[in-house]
């Protein structure tokens, strides 16, 4: 291993070092604030190492990972999102009676697992990354040890994730048996039935992580039971990293007309419709966000089927916008939560605009972004998805995307309507927003509007990242 | 010409400062909004007075173009020609009046109200100026959210339902337009290698007939919802009825016009052959709208709902005028857009005044208002007459020109459309009779118009009389644009070659053909 290899690996080593450091800090001094600061500093250092690593890209470091710009882009996204989640979690954990410090350890390891997924180009690192991520998430989901809902969500996630891991592992074995290679590039369409079966199993396992139909059943329960910041993490970091890998793995294989193409089309259509239609029936805000995320993954899956450079750039942009939006929405849920329970009922948001105007403004902006309304990042994201779809002539999918965007408005506007309902009497509640949550939400809001009105810089970055990808 | 950007930015800034200023007093937002719109008027007046004589078709009075999202070939391309000019004038006129007519009606959350109103106005001005299809879509969607808030926060009893319905109808239509815009973008890009959303580049893109038809239908889905044409109208009666007065005035007076403007600016020039193919169907749709709107308004007891249905009827004339597609009918359609904006706006103001005083819009509970409030009732009679197309008012000029133009296009359709004018007389006079004439009800107490209210209505009376008696300035201003449209004579053969437009597209295509 040369010095250049180490430079390329530095962001990942920084995450690893942070995890070890947090363990040591906890052993010597159990203090919530210190642990949080160590975690945040470690994540920030990892981000700081990204440009150095990018200078070495593309570079295959060992046989396990290939550090390329595409992987580093998603690594950056994942680490920044983890940073946001850590910021949101601090006041949330502070008001709960728990062992708070290990939370950050789990968060950092989950982030490490996700980053490994983003840079893996073969099955061993893929599986390692996935398991590091999943195991951390089991514990994070059930972090409210005394809450039945949280524990139930943890168990549910554990069992289903274990099954999906088994599927992926079996699929890998089949692919290896057929192609004799553990690298993604070793798979070709003419590997025969064994490899095709293996690919389907891997697809099923990834579908579970992405929560696309028909592998979505865990999502609403886990979102509802998990602590709100953990739900934010699952919605963004976990799905984003897995999607970046799915795109690498499947997009060279899904030619129009292939059976994989048909299956993914079906998955996209079902996810869009199921997510939006089921969200209409919900009364719980966390469950609404869960179903909404199912439909958003359905939109995103369309890029797996598109051709050319647009599939990489559209999905990269869409995920960045989706990260900002989802983190913001869950951030508001977190900020409104009380020690007794998370703010997940629609009543918690009634007349919010007149009680807590700033939080209401942020929440409304996030919901409008989820709905894809201009001035927000979500609009440009949906626009680039539609552009990718139209550019590849996927008319059926794009028209269904449009229909679903209209369907989605029903439930987003229902929440907005509740937020802006006219109260019997106007009384401002004292501003109890903790500084960290306030700062994080303000940053997310600014990012949302910045990307929504001036997407040029981000697009230029993405253009550089995806240049040279097939 | 950065001044075009300022026309949009000033209302937005005005709205934001109005919002902030509401912390100190409820009066500040009103005055700030008025000032911002007044500044806009001054800017526009300076542009208008600078218009050179004898504009050629396709020449722009003012234009600006800077890149916005270069990766997609999206630019901030704004331009003003005669058509946009008269519509921006209408926007500012009705904008000022809707601020004035909310002076006492809106007492809660005044700052946020003015932010929304100003944001809608900025969006509408943007729609009238945008020459980049992406930018156009951006503004098109941008005006929806504040209008949604306007209806859902300050609306009447059934506001939640009405605002949701409004948003979903218009948004769904808009998304189909987005698909069409993207399809056009890729077809043009694949053909020429230049991927751009610029209207002037996309003009004259040769399209296979079937593709042109589908893409045009996507645009029409959006514009016909906004216009509205039957059967895309169900959002309109609810939204107009439940909105606060300013919302109804802006909806009827301005937002419906964006649909007609879209057809004139984008559908006809971009897809001349396809539009020609579909014109007979559109004429029939227009007449159905005229008659259907008139019949339904006759059946209403809610005053605002009645006026809302008359809008469906009147906008049918706009659609008729556009697709009859000759100089006379196009002039009439533009005139109808202006006249309808003023006359229906005034009727909504009057309905709002009555609602504020009587706390009802139900005409069965009115009656005999003339003896209680003669000035208000007189105004109502005047605008009812304007709306039924009495000579002397702008609506008469408009409807006459539309019918005269349509006669040469399709006689049967014109005959039915003319019947719509008879029905207009029936519902307008019926409304006056039920609400204002007859025995006064002792239970009602009604104060007559205040000075501010008289001022609002007087301005509208002057405007509608001006349009009716001296419409030449409007014709002179819009003639170059409409002549340009009229010259797009659809070629009888419907092959892939689009007919070149004199003025600009010919040059555009030549420029692209050069290496």
């Amino acid at each position: 291993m040369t010095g250049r290899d180490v430079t390329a690996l530095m962001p990942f080593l920084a995450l690893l070092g942070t995890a070890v450091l947090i363990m040591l800090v906890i052993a010597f001094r159990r203090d919530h604030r210190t642990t949080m600061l160590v975690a945040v500093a470690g994540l920030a250092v990892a981000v700081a190492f990204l440009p150095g690593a990018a200078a070495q890209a593309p570079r295959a470091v060992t046989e396990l990972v290939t550090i390329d710009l595409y992987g580093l882009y998603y690594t950056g996204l994942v680490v920044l999102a983890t940073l946001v989640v850590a910021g949101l979690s601090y006041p949330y954990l502070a008001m709960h009676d728990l062992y708070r410090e290990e939370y950050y350890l789990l968060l950092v390891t989950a982030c490490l697992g996700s980053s490994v997924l983003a840079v893996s180009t073969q099955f061993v690192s893929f599986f390692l990354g996935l398991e590091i991520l999943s195991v951390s998430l089991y514990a994070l989901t059930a972090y409210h040890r005394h809450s039945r809902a949280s524990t139930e969500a943890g168990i549910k996630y554990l069992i289903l994730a274990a099954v999906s891991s088994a599927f992926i592992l079996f699929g890998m074995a089949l692919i290896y048996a057929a192609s004799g290679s553990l690298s993604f590039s070793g798979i070709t369409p003419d590997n025969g039935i064994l490899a095709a079966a293996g690919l389907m199993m891997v697809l099923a396992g990834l579908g579970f992580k992405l929560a696309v139909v028909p592998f979505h059943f865990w999502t609403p329960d886990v979102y509802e039971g998990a602590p709100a910041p953990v739900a934010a993490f699952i919605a963004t970091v976990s799905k984003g990293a897995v999607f970046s890998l799915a795109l690498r793995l499947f997009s060279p294989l899904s030619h129009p007309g292939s059976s994989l193409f048909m299956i993914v089309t079906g998955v996209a259509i079902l996810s869009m419709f199921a997510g939006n239609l089921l969200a209409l029936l919900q009364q719980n805000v966390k469950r609404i966000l869960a179903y909404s995320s199912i439909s958003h993954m359905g939109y995103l899956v369309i890029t797996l089927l598109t051709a050319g450079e647009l599939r990489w750039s559209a999905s990269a942009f869409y995920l960045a916008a989706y990260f900002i939006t989802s983190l913001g929405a869950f951030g508001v849920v977190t900020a409104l939560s009380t020690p007794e329970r998370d703010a997940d009922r629609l009543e918690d948001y009634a007349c919010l605009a007149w009680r807590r105007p700033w939080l209401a403004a942020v929440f409304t902006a996030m919901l409008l972004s989820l709905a894809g309304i201009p001035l927000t990042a979500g609009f440009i994201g949906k626009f680039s998805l539609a552009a990718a779809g139209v550019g590849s002539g996927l008319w059926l999918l794009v028209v269904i995307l449009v229909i679903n965007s209209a369907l989605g408005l029903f439930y987003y506007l229902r929440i907005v309507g509740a937020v802006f309902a006219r109260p019997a009497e106007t009384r401002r509640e004292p501003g109890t927003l903790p500084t960290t949550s306030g700062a994080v939400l303000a940053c997310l809001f600014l990012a949302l509007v910045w990307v929504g009105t001036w997407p040029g810089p981000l697009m230029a970055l993405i253009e550089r990242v995806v240049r040279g990808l097939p | 010409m950065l001044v075009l950007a300022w026309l949009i930015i000033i209302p937005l800034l005005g709205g934001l400062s109005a919002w902030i200023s509401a912390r100190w007093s409820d009066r500040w937002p009103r005055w700030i909004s008025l000032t911002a719109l007044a500044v806009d008027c001054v800017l526009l007046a300076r542009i208008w007075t600078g218009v050179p004589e004898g504009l050629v078709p396709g020449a722009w009075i003012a234009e600006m173009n800077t890149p916005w999202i270069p990766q997609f070939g999206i630019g901030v391309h704004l331009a003003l020609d005669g058509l946009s000019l008269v519509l921006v004038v209408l926007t500012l006129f009705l904008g000022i009046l809707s601020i004035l007519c909310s002076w006492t009606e809106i007492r809660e959350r005044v700052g946020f109200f003015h932010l929304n109103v100003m944001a809608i106005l900025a969006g509408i001005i943007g729609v009238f100026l945008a020459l980049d299809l992406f930018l156009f879509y951006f503004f098109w969607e941008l005006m929806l959210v504040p209008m949604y808030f306007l209806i859902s926060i300050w609306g009447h009893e059934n506001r939640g339902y009405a605002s949701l319905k409004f948003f979903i109808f218009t948004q769904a239509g808009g998304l189909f337009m987005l698909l069409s815009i993207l399809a056009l973008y890729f077809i043009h890009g694949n053909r020429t290698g230049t991927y751009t959303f610029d209207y002037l580049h996309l003009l004259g893109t040769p399209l296979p007939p079937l593709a042109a038809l589908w893409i045009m239908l996507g645009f029409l889905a959006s514009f016909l919802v906004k216009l509205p044409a039957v059967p895309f109208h169900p959002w309109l009666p609810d939204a107009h009825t439940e909105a606060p007065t300013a919302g109804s005035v802006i909806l009827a007076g301005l937002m419906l016009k964006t649909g007609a403007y879209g057809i004139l600016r984008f559908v006809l020039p971009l897809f001349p052959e396809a539009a020609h193919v579909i014109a007979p169907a559109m004429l029939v749709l227009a007449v159905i709208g005229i008659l259907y709107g008139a019949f339904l308004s006759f059946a209403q007891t809610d005053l605002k709902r009645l006026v809302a249905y008359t809008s469906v009827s009147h906008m049918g004339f706009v659609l008729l005028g556009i697709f009859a597609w000759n100089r006379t009918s196009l002039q009439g359609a533009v005139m109808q857009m202006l006249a309808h904006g003023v006359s229906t706006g005034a009727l909504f103001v009057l309905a709002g005044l009555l609602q504020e005083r009587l706390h009802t819009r139900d005409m069965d509970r009115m009656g005999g208002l003339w003896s209680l409030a003669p000035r208000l009732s007189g105004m109502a009679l005047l605008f009812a007459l304007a709306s039924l197309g009495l000579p002397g008012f702008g609506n008469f000029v408009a409807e006459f020109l539309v019918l005269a133009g349509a006669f040469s296009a399709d006689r049967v359709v014109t005959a039915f459309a003319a019947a719509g004018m008879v029905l207009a007389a029936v519902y307008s006079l019926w409304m006056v009779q039920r609400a204002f004439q007859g025995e006064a009800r002792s239970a009602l107490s009604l104060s007559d118009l205040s000075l501010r209210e008289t001022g609002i209505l007087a301005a509208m009376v002057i405007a509608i009389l001006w349009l009716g008696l001296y419409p030449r300035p409007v014709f002179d201003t819009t003639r170059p644009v409409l002549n340009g449209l009229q010259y797009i004579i659809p070629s009888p053969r419907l092959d892939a070659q689009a007919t070149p437009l004199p003025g600009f597209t010919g040059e555009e295509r030549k420029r692209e053909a050069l290496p």
Side-chain angles (χ1 to χ4, degrees), chain A residues 17-27 35 38-39 101 104-105 108:
Chain A
T18 312
V20 175
L21 195 60
I22 292 176
M23 262 190 264
L24 291 174
V25 168
I26 296 173
T35 323
V38 171
E101 292 73 18
Y104 297 96
L105 175 62
V108 171

Side-chain angles (χ1 to χ4, degrees), chain A residues 354 373-375 379 383 386-387 391 395 398 402 405 409-410 413 416 420 422-423 453-456 459-460 463, chain B residues 68-69 71-72 109 112 134 137-138 141-142 145 148-149 153-155 159 164 167-168 171 175 179 182-183 186 197:
Chain A
W354 322 116
I373 306 292
L375 282 184
F379 166 67
F383 168 77
W395 286 105
V398 182
V402 163
S405 298
L409 279 176
F410 274 105
L413 288 183
V416 174
F420 281 89
R422 288 199 294 217
T453 49
W454 202 249
M459 281 188 177
E463 216 168 54
Chain B
W68 176 22
I69 309 174
Q71 287 81 2
F72 273 105
R109 299 175 247 288
F112 193 50
F134 182 87
Y137 180 76
F138 184 84
E141 295 282 292
L142 195 60
V145 181
Y148 167 80
F149 282 134
I153 298 176
W154 293 274
R159 55 181 179 270
L164 190 66
F167 202 113
I168 288 172
Q171 168 82 8
L175 285 166
L179 288 190
L182 283 170
F186 279 105
F197 283 96

